[in-house]
Amino acid sequence: MALSRDAYQALEDIVGADNITEEPAILDAYAFQWGLKAFTGNPFGIRYEAVLLPGSTEEVQAIVKACNKHKIKFKALSTGWGPMNTTGSEGTIQLDLRRMNRILEINEKAMYAVVESYVISAQLQAELMKRGLTCNIISAGSNTSALPLAGLMGCGPTSVSTSYSNRNILGVEWVLPTGEILRLGSLGSGAGWFCGDGPGPSLRGIMRGYKVPLGGLGVFTKAATKVYHWPGPEVVQVEGASPGYTPELPDTITAHYITFPSWDKFTEAGYKIGESEIAMACDKLPPWMLSLNLTEDGREGVQLFSKIRSQTVDKGISVLVVVGADSQREFDYKEKVLKRITSETGGEFLPLVEEPATRKKLIWHRVRATTGARETFRLMLDQGASFGAADSWEFAVSEAKEGAKLKKKYIEKGLIMDDGADNAWGTVYEHGHMGHMDELFLTDPTNPASRQGMFGFMQETWQVSLEKSLGCHQGVMGDMGHDLFGPRTSNYHLWARKIKKTFDPNGASESSRYITAEE
Amino acid sequence: MGKKEELTEIVGSQQVIVDTHRLEKLSRDESFVCPARPAFIVKPHNIDEVQQIVKWANETLTPLVPISSGVPHFRGDSVPSVDGAVITDLSDMKKILRVDRKNRVAMIEPGVTFDELCGELEKEGLRPNMPLLPRRRKSVVGSVLEREPVIMPKYHWDIIDPLACTEVIFGSGDLYRTGAASGPGTIEEQWKSGEAQKSHAEPLADWCRILQGAQGTMGIVTWATIRCELIPDLEEPFIVGSSSLPGLFELIHWLVRLRLADECLVLNNAHLAHILAKQWPDEYERLRDSLPPWMLFFCISGYEYYPEEKVSYQIEKMMDIARRAGVKPVKELDKVTAQKLLKIIQKPSEEPYWKTRAKGSCYDIFSLATYDRIPELIKVMNNTAEENGYPVADMGIYLQPVVQGTSYHCEFNLFFNPANPEEVNKLKNLSHQAIKPLMNNGAFFSRPYDTWVDTVYEIDAETTASLRKIKGILDPNNIMNPGKLCF
Ligand SMILES: Cc1cc2nc3c(=O)[nH]c(=O)nc-3n(C[C@H](O)[C@H](O)[C@H](O)COP(=O)(O)OP(=O)(O)OC[C@H]3O[C@@H](n4cnc5c(N)ncnc54)[C@H](O)[C@@H]3O)c2cc1C
Ligand SMILES: Cc1cc2nc3c(=O)[nH]c(=O)nc-3n(C[C@H](O)[C@H](O)[C@H](O)COP(=O)(O)OP(=O)(O)OC[C@H]3O[C@@H](n4cnc5c(N)ncnc54)[C@H](O)[C@@H]3O)c2cc1C
């Protein structure tokens, strides 16, 4: 279904002929998503009708208004890193926001940065570091958008000290599905970007939940995000090539990989590390991912995993802690506390990570979030994730425990790759106040039984979450998922539909990954 | 059956109040909103009754005004805007449903006051992140729903804090639980999985943010979970006096950025003198005149692990920053000790409420702004006060860094005698005249009350339109506190 010539012309008039295309090869490139293949068997989703590259909020607004007029759907993307970027319906155009790539403001003293949609975290963080600051970066990688309204839920390796995107948002500029521009909070009152809430109720409440609306509720063109202190150098010299980057860092930043003898001890340590506020990063990086992070290729990764298995997986549950300080005294204090907590909870430091070269690499992986794809996809297998809701740290651990237990069955049947079963990634947020954990898994794309195994595993994890109150999975997207979880979850789906219906009466913002207005 | 009988059927005759004197009291407060007389006060005991009341209000199209705190009320938000409203007073719902040390959270009903909560939390080694000196009978749920600023900015990650989840009856009469409390499963089932109702967001929305700042226009909250913090093992409070703000702002920036301070706030001399004085006017005036114009107060705290060592390296670092900022932290300033001040602000206000001690009442004008705009806001207020014959020297000013120091709550306290019509009139003019110039100089009225509301909404048509759409979703018959905000 190609666009009518009228519609195409109207869109071309907005962005100019250089910034719109309906070339099939390009449309296919936008329909391609690796992650889709695991679920549908085909990495190509539905083709967009056209791809547009708007260069400003005004252009986005004009496109959105034209879409409402011509009954076309639109869907925005930032870096397009995940399968949620595909459209679920014919007749959709894609707004690729890559021309909107400016950092608009870094307010060092008020600790926020204002970005457009295609500013990536690597770019923002490099600028922030020059001012002794850093930001939350989602674990997908620093190559993804720094906009706290892209991503999926928005946590990352340093969330223990940098929170996560929903809680970092300040002012926002938002082109609503009908084309009006809403400026949240202080921005709407002409006072600047420092607050996204009010006057009165905060419209952040309908803008996103734990997850972003995945393109289904208009286009976010700019947003301010809180930033945090960085105790390292303004410019970090890095040697070597990917994945072996070794940064030059002061001795007052370090990392440890600690394995605890049981889930209970691991949980206890997470609370203690959180409360004592000693960690810059505190994420449950499973031994499988650690191995793939530290090695040059997949084969080496698997070999390393076999080597450290007896020191990690077979002994208990592991966490990676990055400690950073501005002074030697602060550093000594934090290290002393970490050692004490480790000894109180029976933890053991992994010797490999105590080696300075390895340690430096790992610090960079966490702070810079450079390993999202490598730690998950390197083996060229199909990869997926389950669970991933957030609440208390104890709750997060329940997700991981349940995930590992269920996965073991599938590993034993040979349906899911043996990653040690416990391959949950997650992190403590905000110095122990919250946490989340998602259970990752790998299946063999050349083996149909393995794919079936994956579906079986996913289904079981959903069922278990409903039965044992383990939250609404991060992967629950679209009507089918929400219609399953909603009735057991205060009917949140019905209320979300009301938002969708009220703010997008023409259904113009393509929302198959969010929720549609259809009951 | 009349309305009174219908309500009596829901809550029992003891719980429907028609006493003219009490109704009269709730028809006005310390603000300048026009008085409107409520028809009854109804005091539900539990969520079932609340839901029945809301459903009844929808059927009879009776306005409901929820309140949770005891008198005095200040901001006009709990005074009905229309006649014939039913005040839904939740102060009898007083249960502290859970205190969870490990997850630093408490689940409480709306009638629980700061006094009551502090006592229960203390038993578990916890404390709330409190607003500055709330009145004894202030409802904690009421306070967090109002987005009142809290005194420990480093734990204020997001403006929603310390509010986490809620149970609410929307204006439509529907029961909903916000955040992780939404499910799957009942609250008890959630506890079994380790969930503690800490995450305020549901998968697709964050309805709690809509309830907050709504002044009771969206629904009635029947419990809420509140983030708490640990009681420190060691506390080292400091005061920094200064004749100007820039040096203090510089120090505060680093105190928050490096997570050095727990409590951290700025008061002017009139404000602190009002807090400390017991006798008027002598003691108050003596204090006011002896104190420096500005005081930064903060506390460095140590917890379970080696508290002395932590506090010691943090003090060293703080002193270094203070030197560079050209300010001098001390333990005692003009006979006010930091320790005494710490103890005062860690509790609710003594009775009588500190804001009413001097002249009987107090009118507050507050907004959010970044640090660099605050000197201009102070100038605007000084000028407006002078123009209206209000003594500038007696105007309290309270500056509270919020959301990890991204902005400041900037509050001006105008103490006045409510029995003096001339003073009241002057203040009415003053408050009316101040709002626009404050906005023009960088103030954002995130929580507009009283007569400021129109000025604030006037300049943001799209926010106003969007809020009205949401109001239509949650309260289609507009029974919840009609006439407030932009509704
Ligand atoms: C290995 C791996 C790890 C991951 N880890 C995380 C993680 O830790 N945390 C996390 O949150 N996610 C994670 N994800 C999920 C997801 O793939 C990414 O969050 C996301 O795709 C990152 O890219 P982006 O931020 O540039 O957003 P995009 O991929 O461009 O977009 C994400 C979604 O948001 C919408 N969107 C993007 N920009 C806008 C805009 N300006 N206006 C309106 N809608 C918009 C898009 O339509 C899309 O539905 C991970 C994915 C992978 C592959
Ligand atoms: C969001 C996302 C989802 C993905 N999902 C999956 C998935 O589910 N399953 C899957 O199998 N893959 C997936 N991939 C792809 C996968 O991540 C990569 O192909 C894999 O990680 C290889 O990465 P690498 O770091 O080992 O190699 P890279 O360094 O990225 O190199 C890529 C390829 O080029 C080759 N190469 C590198 N340097 C040279 C050179 N100098 N000369 C010649 N060849 C060279 C490498 O051998 C490799 O084959 C996904 C990628 C993304 C971004």
Side-chain angles (χ1 to χ4, degrees):
Chain A
M1 192 186 95
L3 295 180
S4 77
R5 289 307 85 188
D6 275 2
Y8 191 88
Q9 191 57 51
L11 294 170
E12 188 181 295
D13 289 346
I14 297 165
V15 290
D18 285 348
N19 292 312
I20 182 169
T21 185
E22 46 185 357
E23 256 326 300
I26 293 177
L27 298 184
D28 273 352
Y30 278 89
F32 177 88
Q33 277 290 347
W34 255 115
L36 209 57
K37 187 168 150 283
F39 300 94
T40 63
N42 180 0
F44 289 90
I46 296 172
R47 243 191 206 172
Y48 285 98
E49 309 302 341
V51 175
L52 283 79
L53 306 176
S56 66
T57 303
E58 292 67 33
E59 286 186 10
V60 171
Q61 178 181 37
I63 294 167
V64 168
K65 286 197 166 159
C67 285
N68 275 277
K69 182 173 165 206
H70 292 278
K71 302 207 171 0
I72 307 166
K73 292 184 179 165
F74 63 89
K75 179 157 174 159
L77 91 159
S78 293
T79 69
W81 192 237
M84 60 287 256
N85 283 291
T86 50
T87 175
S89 41
E90 309 269 341
T92 311
I93 60 166
Q94 175 105 77
L95 309 193
D96 180 343
L97 301 169
R98 71 181 55 236
R99 288 173 64 213
M100 298 178 68
N101 61 356
R102 291 172 306 160
I103 298 172
L104 299 172
E105 182 187 350
I106 293 176
N107 191 329
E108 185 188 331
K109 291 290 175 194
M111 304 278 284
Y112 67 77
V114 185
V115 294
E116 291 186 326
S117 186
Y118 198 79
V119 171
I120 63 165
S121 294
Q123 182 189 349
L124 177 62
Q125 193 187 44
E127 288 306 317
L128 289 172
M129 281 180 170
K130 291 179 194 164
R131 296 158 175 85
L133 297 168
T134 185
C135 54
N136 177 58
I137 303 183
I138 65 172
S139 56
S142 51
N143 52 313
T144 62
S145 176
L147 191 80
L149 288 146
L152 176 56
M153 69 290 190
C155 59
T158 61
S159 286
V160 69
S161 60
T162 61
S163 190
Y164 79 105
S165 45
N166 187 24
R167 287 172 54 79
N168 282 331
I169 299 171
L170 303 169
V172 176
E173 181 185 80
W174 177 10
V175 179
L176 294 173
T178 41
E180 288 84 17
I181 301 177
L182 181 60
R183 294 181 177 86
L184 295 195
S186 51
L187 191 64
S189 287
W193 288 94
F194 60 85
C195 175
D197 310 84
S202 173
L203 290 166
R204 284 168 69 191
I206 54 154
M207 177 177 71
R208 63 167 286 173
Y210 177 52
K211 290 178 283 198
V212 298
L214 299 171
L217 202 60
V219 185
F220 306 107
T221 41
K222 296 169 190 142
T225 182
K226 259 187 301 154
V227 298
Y228 296 86
H229 182 68
W230 160 243
E234 288 173 15
V235 175
V236 181
Q237 301 297 337
V238 179
E239 285 184 2
S242 170
Y245 290 133
T246 311
E248 257 179 52
L249 290 170
D251 293 340
T252 45
I253 302 180
T254 193
H256 300 284
Y257 194 75
I258 315 167
T259 301
F260 301 92
S262 65
W263 282 108
D264 283 351
K265 292 291 174 196
F266 167 81
T267 313
E268 187 187 332
Y271 278 109
K272 289 183 164 177
I273 292 167
E275 277 175 10
S276 57
E277 302 201 353
I278 54 173
M280 188 180 358
C282 176
D283 65 326
K284 184 184 167 303
L285 181 75
W288 173 262
M289 286 192 186
L290 176 78
S291 305
L292 290 168
N293 275 353
L294 288 175
T295 44
E296 294 285 325
D297 62 33
R299 186 192 301 265
E300 261 186 47
V302 175
Q303 280 166 356
L304 179 60
F305 178 64
S306 312
K307 208 168 118 193
I308 62 168
R309 199 171 173 142
S310 61
Q311 295 163 281
T312 55
V313 183
D314 298 345
K315 276 202 164 162
I317 318 298
S318 313
V319 72
L320 182 87
V321 180
V322 176
V323 172
D326 288 301
S327 68
Q328 193 62 42
R329 274 190 83 189
E330 178 186 353
F331 180 76
D332 292 345
Y333 170 80
K334 288 181 170 176
E335 282 278 277
K336 185 170 167 185
V337 173
L338 183 63
K339 286 190 179 127
R340 165 110 174 252
I341 292 171
T342 305
S343 107
E344 281 174 0
T345 47
E348 282 179 32
F349 293 100
L350 182 67
L352 173 70
V353 177
E354 299 300 303
E355 291 166 14
T358 316
R359 169 181 278 166
K360 283 194 172 163
K361 278 185 205 164
L362 267 177
I363 296 169
W364 204 234
H365 292 170
R366 300 341 278 162
V367 170
R368 193 80 174 144
T370 54
T371 55
R374 197 158 68 232
E375 65 200 12
T376 42
F377 303 126
R378 160 162 269 166
L379 292 187
M380 307 304 284
L381 301 168
D382 281 342
Q383 185 264 358
S386 199
F387 294 100
D391 196 63
S392 69
W393 176 237
E394 194 179 15
F395 165 82
V397 173
S398 301
E399 295 182 282
K401 255 158 87 172
E402 206 59 52
K405 196 170 94 189
L406 286 175
K407 190 160 17 119
K408 218 172 193 155
K409 283 195 316 198
Y410 288 81
I411 293 173
E412 278 160 11
K413 285 190 210 150
L415 297 173
I416 284 185
M417 164 95 198
D418 183 7
D419 54 8
D422 164 35
N423 191 20
W425 179 80
T427 170
V428 177
Y429 300 1
E430 299 180 358
H431 296 299
H433 265 296
M434 286 169 57
H436 108 279
M437 213 84 87
D438 43 78
E439 184 63 55
L440 301 161
F441 58 90
L442 296 155
T443 57
D444 178 356
T446 62
N447 175 1
S450 186
R451 239 183 97 216
Q452 284 313 311
M454 174 191 81
F455 286 125
F457 173 67
M458 288 290 278
Q459 222 165 11
E460 260 199 82
T461 59
W462 284 31
Q463 208 49 47
V464 160
S465 276
L466 289 166
E467 283 163 11
K468 297 193 175 173
S469 296
L470 286 167
C472 180
H473 290 204
Q474 63 179 29
V476 172
M477 295 176 199
D479 289 336
M480 202 185 77
H482 295 307
D483 285 341
L484 180 70
F485 274 81
R488 290 268 293 148
T489 314
S490 291
N491 283 324
Y492 75 84
H493 61 313
L494 302 182
W495 293 99
R497 284 210 163 99
K498 289 183 202 224
I499 298 174
K500 174 71 182 165
K501 212 182 267 180
T502 307
F503 284 86
D504 188 10
N506 301 322
S509 193
E510 204 283 327
S511 66
S512 53
R513 312 286 176 227
Y514 172 56
I515 195 163
T516 72
E518 264 118 70
E519 305 272 326
Chain B
M1 222 173 5
K3 284 189 174 181
K4 184 185 160 214
E5 288 71 27
E6 287 170 348
L7 284 171
T8 303
E9 258 193 14
I10 299 174
V11 292
S13 60
Q14 298 286 317
Q15 302 298 101
V16 182
I17 293 155
V18 289
D19 172 350
T20 4
H21 178 64
R22 286 176 69 181
L23 293 175
E24 194 57 42
K25 255 176 132 176
L26 286 172
S27 74
R28 59 183 78 242
D29 66 1
E30 312 289 329
S31 73
F32 305 134
V33 299
C34 298
R37 199 168 174 284
F40 314 103
I41 303 166
V42 58
K43 301 186 81 179
H45 302 96
N46 54 45
I47 181 154
D48 286 343
E49 292 180 2
V50 173
Q51 189 168 31
Q52 285 182 59
I53 293 167
V54 177
K55 286 188 170 161
W56 167 86
N58 273 283
E59 283 156 21
T60 56
L61 296 180
T62 310
L64 297 180
V65 179
I67 63 170
S68 298
S69 304
V71 286
H73 297 279
F74 282 88
R75 295 177 189 140
D77 49 322
S78 55
V79 172
S81 294
V82 292
D83 278 324
V86 169
I87 304 267
T88 311
D89 179 351
L90 299 151
S91 57
D92 281 355
M93 291 179 66
K94 274 204 159 301
K95 287 199 230 41
I96 295 176
L97 300 163
R98 194 171 190 242
V99 173
D100 177 350
R101 156 64 186 85
K102 187 162 49 178
N103 292 307
R104 288 184 268 168
V105 67
M107 180 186 266
I108 56 173
E109 290 188 337
V112 175
T113 62
F114 277 106
D115 223 17
E116 292 157 349
L117 181 62
C118 290
E120 274 313 296
L121 291 180
E122 207 177 317
K123 294 181 195 159
E124 298 287 331
L126 292 173
R127 55 177 174 163
N129 194 354
M130 276 212 298
L132 178 64
L133 291 170
R135 56 189 205 273
R136 278 251 127 105
R137 293 165 67 189
K138 177 76 190 178
S139 147
V140 179
V141 172
S143 170
V144 296
L145 282 173
E146 282 180 82
R147 283 206 299 261
E148 283 196 330
V150 284
I151 57 178
M152 297 192 283
K154 83 173 215 195
Y155 300 116
H156 198 220
W157 292 83
D158 183 313
I159 204 157
I160 197 171
D161 296 340
L163 177 59
C165 299
T166 60
E167 178 183 73
V168 56
I169 303 293
F170 285 145
S172 61
D174 293 291
L175 164 74
Y176 191 70
R177 291 196 194 98
T178 61
S182 61
T186 63
I187 298 297
E188 289 74 17
E189 285 166 341
Q190 293 172 22
W191 287 339
K192 270 194 209 145
S193 75
E195 208 174 298
Q197 295 82 40
K198 291 279 303 255
S199 169
H200 48 77
E202 300 96 272
L204 300 178
D206 213 336
W207 285 108
C208 201
R209 295 190 191 273
I210 298 291
L211 300 174
Q212 217 185 19
Q215 300 180 12
T217 58
M218 297 290 176
I220 300 180
V221 171
T222 52
W223 56 247
T225 49
I226 311 291
R227 274 185 177 221
C228 304
E229 303 302 338
L230 301 176
I231 295 178
D233 288 23
L234 178 64
E235 294 179 307
E236 287 288 354
F238 293 89
I239 307 179
V240 191
S242 177
S243 57
S244 69
L245 287 169
L248 299 185
F249 285 148
E250 177 66 12
L251 178 56
I252 293 168
H253 166 73
W254 290 101
L255 289 177
V256 179
R257 172 167 169 173
L258 301 178
R259 301 185 70 76
L260 297 177
D262 279 14
E263 292 84 355
C264 179
L265 50 102
V266 176
L267 303 174
N268 76 344
N269 50 0
H271 196 293
L272 185 56
H274 272 99
I275 290 176
L276 297 175
K278 296 257 180 329
Q279 283 152 1
W280 267 267
D282 299 357
E283 192 192 1
Y284 159 72
E285 282 173 2
R286 209 173 41 244
L287 272 163
R288 182 196 62 192
D289 298 340
S290 66
L291 289 166
W294 296 103
M295 274 128 323
L296 160 62
F297 173 81
F298 64 91
C299 182
I300 294 182
S301 305
Y303 293 83
E304 184 181 352
Y305 292 108
Y306 315 110
E308 289 82 9
E309 281 176 45
K310 173 168 184 251
V311 167
S312 156
Y313 88 72
Q314 293 198 323
I315 289 179
E316 183 183 89
K317 192 181 288 184
M318 177 275 290
M319 284 296 189
D320 185 43
I321 298 164
R323 239 183 331 268
R324 277 184 278 136
V327 293
K328 195 161 169 250
V330 293
K331 286 282 177 186
E332 186 176 331
L333 190 72
D334 299 316
K335 300 208 182 90
V336 180
T337 69
Q339 196 62 36
K340 178 178 165 194
L341 197 50
L342 178 68
K343 291 301 149 210
I344 291 176
I345 66 164
Q346 284 180 333
K347 293 212 169 70
S349 165
E350 303 265 324
E351 293 287 347
Y353 181 46
W354 73 273
K355 282 187 185 171
T356 60
R357 269 180 231 155
K359 306 193 88 181
S361 192
C362 179
Y363 188 86
D364 299 337
I365 297 179
F366 49 88
S367 58
L368 294 176
T370 44
Y371 71 99
D372 49 336
R373 309 306 293 269
I374 290 172
E376 290 156 64
L377 302 185
I378 293 169
K379 238 183 257 166
V380 168
M381 273 307 288
N382 285 349
N383 290 342
T384 321
E386 249 163 38
E387 279 163 24
N388 287 280
Y390 186 91
V392 171
D394 287 330
M395 183 167 69
I397 305 181
Y398 163 42
L399 306 175
Q400 177 63 63
V402 296
V403 196
Q404 306 230 331
T406 47
S407 63
Y408 278 77
H409 164 85
C410 177
E411 177 177 308
F412 300 96
N413 314 104
L414 303 154
F415 303 91
F416 72 104
N417 176 2
N420 179 340
E422 204 188 327
E423 264 189 54
V424 173
N425 265 338
K426 270 191 206 163
L427 259 191
K428 268 190 193 170
N429 282 337
L430 197 167
S431 73
H432 191 72
Q433 282 171 23
I435 304 304
K436 249 215 172 109
L438 285 172
M439 286 176 81
N440 292 340
N441 283 282
F444 169 51
F445 287 86
S446 130
R447 310 188 288 135
Y449 291 92
D450 208 353
T451 52
W452 338 332
V453 167
D454 295 342
T455 319
V456 171
Y457 281 107
E458 197 164 84
I459 65 160
D460 190 356
E462 205 47 58
T463 292
T464 308
S466 297
L467 285 173
R468 286 183 181 149
K469 284 181 189 165
I470 293 164
K471 173 83 167 161
I473 293 175
L474 297 184
D475 181 23
N477 292 321
N478 194 20
I479 54 137
M480 293 307 306
N481 211 355
K484 287 289 169 320
L485 295 170
C486 57
F487 310 123

